Amino acid sequence: MEKLLNENEQYDDFSGEQIASFKRYIEENDVFNDNVFEVFEKNLDYYASRYTRDEFVSYAELFHANSDFWNSDEMDENINLYEVSVDWRNKTVHPHDSEYVIKEEKYVFIDSFSNKIKKILNNLNKKDIELYSSVDLIFYVDGSLYQYLPKKNFVFTWEKNGKNLIDKISKILSMDLTDKIVIIPIFIPIRKMLFLGEYGYRESLIDYGRILSLVEHSTDDSKIIRRFESRYINEKFRIDSVEKSIISIITC
């Protein structure tokens, strides 16, 4: 990396100030020490001083280290229990044989949507149910908000009059979403962390990325919106920003 930066000094693409900043970031993070906690302490101080908020402390590195997978009998038992819980939740929440599904009360069959929506939902249905255990996928189409239900041929009507909410989100993002298909993944890692601890969070993040990729590659015009102050979006959806949060939005 340092060699690359030295080579870049020969070009006009990077200013001397930028290169100096790059090198400083590398040097201040390149800490070698047998005491891992001392390393974390130095890096936490560094991150806290780099960002503009005085109260900022990056616990992410410490959490990342603690989220390593531990191969043990207890972990094996927890994984088995977690997998059973996913199956149980799928069968008991929005069950296939519910009379409300049959009557289409609060539910809509996938075949009722446009080809574009059907393609997205059918692509999602190709994957195992477990992939979606830490994410609730809400999507906006034709003025209503619906919730995707893994491996099912129907969706749940999350909010019949969803335009008001989408208008508020449009204002926060400074873009008009009214005439677009909007997909809102709600990240809920606690569902996996209850069984797998910190490692469950790491695995949930990986699953979240896989889901974004699935949706993105289901259409030719999809766009992932990532850089926004999510707490304002979370407030509009009445979620707590801790156990549940919205950290990206997809439009198509």
Side-chain angles (χ1 to χ4, degrees):
M1 183 67 176
E2 291 182 2
K3 180 181 178 182
L4 178 63
L5 291 175
N6 289 333
E7 290 175 353
N8 283 335
E9 291 179 349
Q10 305 173 24
Y11 303 99
D12 296 330
D13 296 341
F14 306 96
S15 69
E17 183 180 357
Q18 287 174 327
I19 293 172
S21 296
F22 298 155
K23 288 184 176 181
R24 178 168 61 86
Y25 285 1
I26 292 171
E27 290 169 359
E28 292 182 358
N29 281 285
D30 194 18
V31 180
F32 295 94
N33 194 304
D34 292 335
N35 187 338
V36 69
F37 292 103
E38 184 178 339
V39 173
F40 281 130
E41 184 178 358
K42 288 182 178 179
N43 280 348
L44 288 175
D45 289 342
Y46 165 65
Y47 283 116
S49 63
R50 182 197 293 183
Y51 285 80
T52 56
R53 288 181 291 168
D54 292 338
E55 72 275 14
F56 181 86
V57 177
S58 176
Y59 294 105
E61 282 198 341
L62 187 59
F63 184 86
H64 179 75
N66 287 336
S67 67
D68 194 16
F69 179 80
W70 293 97
N71 193 8
S72 65
D73 291 341
E74 182 182 4
M75 178 62 86
D76 289 341
E77 291 176 5
N78 288 344
I79 290 173
N80 291 333
L81 187 58
Y82 161 71
E83 291 174 347
V84 172
S85 76
V86 171
D87 186 44
W88 171 83
R89 187 172 187 274
N90 182 63
K91 289 179 179 177
T92 56
V93 181
H94 308 295
H96 280 95
D97 55 357
S98 168
E99 62 176 306
Y100 299 105
V101 174
I102 298 171
K103 295 178 181 179
E104 294 191 63
E105 295 180 6
K106 297 289 288 183
Y107 296 94
V108 178
F109 287 100
I110 290 177
D111 287 340
S112 302
F113 292 104
S114 67
N115 289 334
K116 191 172 188 178
I117 288 291
K118 284 194 289 187
K119 182 180 179 182
I120 294 172
L121 299 179
N122 286 330
N123 279 346
L124 293 173
N125 270 345
K126 293 177 182 178
K127 299 299 180 181
D128 292 337
I129 295 170
E130 185 186 335
L131 176 63
Y132 307 101
S133 64
S134 296
V135 177
D136 281 351
L137 270 178
I138 309 299
F139 64 95
Y140 171 79
V141 61
D142 297 332
S144 297
L145 286 161
Y146 302 92
Q147 180 180 348
Y148 166 69
L149 304 175
K151 289 289 188 181
K152 293 177 180 176
N153 64 343
F154 55 89
V155 297
F156 175 67
T157 305
W158 201 77
E159 181 70 49
K160 185 65 177 176
N161 185 13
K163 185 177 182 302
N164 291 336
L165 183 54
I166 292 300
D167 285 343
K168 294 176 182 177
I169 304 306
S170 296
K171 187 175 181 180
I172 293 172
L173 298 177
S174 299
M175 59 178 65
D176 186 7
L177 303 176
T178 306
D179 297 326
K180 294 182 177 292
I181 296 171
V182 184
I183 301 170
I184 304 109
I186 301 178
F187 186 49
I188 317 174
I190 189 65
R191 290 178 181 164
K192 189 169 286 193
M193 292 174 67
L194 288 172
F195 297 90
L196 307 182
E198 288 93 338
Y199 171 74
Y201 188 90
R202 178 187 289 192
E203 198 168 272
S204 295
L205 275 178
I206 295 171
D207 291 344
Y208 182 87
R210 291 176 61 197
I211 293 170
L212 291 186
S213 179
L214 273 173
V215 176
E216 183 182 21
H217 290 92
S218 295
T219 64
D220 296 328
D221 59 346
S222 60
K223 178 183 179 182
I224 299 178
I225 305 169
R226 298 177 299 166
R227 292 172 179 167
F228 54 84
E229 295 189 61
S230 59
R231 63 183 182 277
Y232 296 120
I233 306 289
N234 293 337
E235 287 174 3
K236 300 304 179 185
F237 278 82
R238 298 189 295 275
I239 57 180
D240 61 12
S241 299
V242 180
E243 292 187 355
K244 295 183 178 183
S245 57
I246 297 170
I247 53 180
S248 66
I249 294 173
I250 305 175
T251 64
C252 54

